[in-house]
């Protein structure tokens, strides 16, 4: 939580920290810049030290956010968005060029705004089981949709610790739905970071952290905001209207926390899961283009 708002996107946490401090220059310990990648706006936020982590409320590390101008429509737009995801993943040195990679789809597949992770796991080119059949053709990739504690009785972190011990991957890619501050960023931004992830933190239900410290391997987190907390939305709308800051607790009485999601979230999550599945697969299987992956999965 940042200044009373539930926010997962590092670029939004940075914006809020600058606004709250009335900063006109960069925050101490934080570097950020805007650029373009394959035609998509890309924001880089680097939290350099503990000062930056404290100012922004995010762990030290690198956060890249790709912005989609609209939800991809049709095969070519989906493939281009997937190329953007693959290019962003290629920026991270924590993703080794060889070795088994485990992809974890976090979240509840029976709750649409939270189903992005499991649906992405379903859309991956999974190849670890082919190593004895087609050795050297594909990089070994395994996928797990860990489910939620209410369904399994186990924390996703506990499951992943056990699977990591058995599979011995060189890296974990964790995919999860996030919470945004601005409604225009819902289902239109893709954040990739090398700091790991705390599942459920954006909606006030934080679970065991998935990071290098808990799992013993690099963890790259990929997320798309699918909700905005109602209190966060109200606070920002009031500030935009020139109202003085209000206590966020006024919007969360008796522990009631409400989240807003687009009415077309079923279709949007399905499209974004395909984009992420293709993009992650192409980033891992470097000898195959996004088109190749799409054809193999079709």
């Amino acid at each position: 939580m940042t200044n009373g708002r539930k926010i997962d996107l590092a670029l939004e946490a940075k914006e809020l920290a600058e606004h709250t401090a009335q900063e006109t220059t960069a925050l101490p310990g934080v570097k950020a810049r805007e650029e373009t990648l394959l035609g998509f706006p890309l924001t880089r936020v680097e939290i350099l030290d503990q000062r930056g982590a404290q100012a922004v409320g995010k762990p030290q590390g690198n956060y890249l956010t790709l912005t989609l101008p609209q939800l991809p429509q049709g095969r070519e737009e989906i493939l281009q968005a997937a190329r953007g995801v693959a290019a962003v993943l290629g920026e991270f040195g924590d993703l080794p060029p060889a070795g088994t990679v485990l992809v974890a789809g976090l979240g509840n597949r029976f709750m649409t705004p939270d189903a992005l992770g499991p649906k992405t796991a379903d859309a991956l080119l999974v190849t670890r089981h082919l190593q004895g059949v087609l050795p050297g053709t594909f990089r070994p990739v395994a996928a797990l949709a860990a489910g939620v504690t209410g369904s399994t009785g186990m924390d996703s972190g506990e499951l992943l610790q056990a699977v990591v011990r058995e599979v011995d991957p060189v890296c974990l890619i964790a995919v999860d739905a996030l919470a945004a501050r601005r409604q225009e960023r819902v289902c239109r931004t893709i954040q990739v970071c090398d700091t790991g992830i705390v599942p459920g933190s954006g909606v006030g239900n934080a679970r065991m952290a998935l990071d290098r410290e808990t799992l013993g391997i690099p963890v790259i987190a990929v997320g798309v905001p699918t909700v905005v907390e109602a209190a966060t939305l109200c606070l920002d709308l009031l500030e935009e209207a020139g109202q003085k800051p209000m206590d966020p607790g006024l919007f969360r009485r008796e522990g009631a926390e409400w989240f807003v999601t687009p009415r077309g979230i079923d279709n949007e999550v399905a499209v974004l899961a395909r984009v992420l599945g293709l993009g992650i697969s192409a980033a891992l299987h470097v000898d195959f283009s996004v088109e190749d992956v799409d054809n193999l999965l079709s």
Side-chain angles (χ1 to χ4, degrees), residues 3 16-24 27:
N3 292 330
L16 185 59
E18 290 175 335
H19 174 71
T20 303
Q22 296 183 337
E23 291 279 358
T24 57
L27 292 168

Side-chain angles (χ1 to χ4, degrees), residues 103-177:
V103 182
L106 307 175
N108 186 346
R109 69 167 64 247
F110 302 110
M111 185 179 296
T112 305
D114 197 33
L116 180 70
K119 287 182 178 294
T120 298
D122 294 342
L124 290 167
L125 181 58
V126 176
T127 54
R128 180 172 177 265
H129 61 298
L130 298 176
Q131 295 310 296
V133 180
L134 299 170
T137 304
F138 300 101
R139 178 183 192 158
V141 175
L144 172 68
V148 292
T149 305
S151 299
T152 65
M154 295 174 284
D155 190 276
S156 58
E158 295 174 326
L159 285 170
L160 285 169
Q161 282 182 325
V163 173
V164 165
R165 285 195 298 268
E166 180 66 26
V167 175
D168 192 25
V170 295
C171 179
L172 171 72
I173 298 177
V175 183
D176 200 7

Side-chain angles (χ1 to χ4, degrees), residues 23 28 34 88 94 149 196 201 236 247 274 291:
E23 291 279 358
E34 306 283 343
V88 171
D94 277 351
T149 305
S201 59
D236 286 339
D247 179 7
R274 185 180 173 198
E291 291 89 346

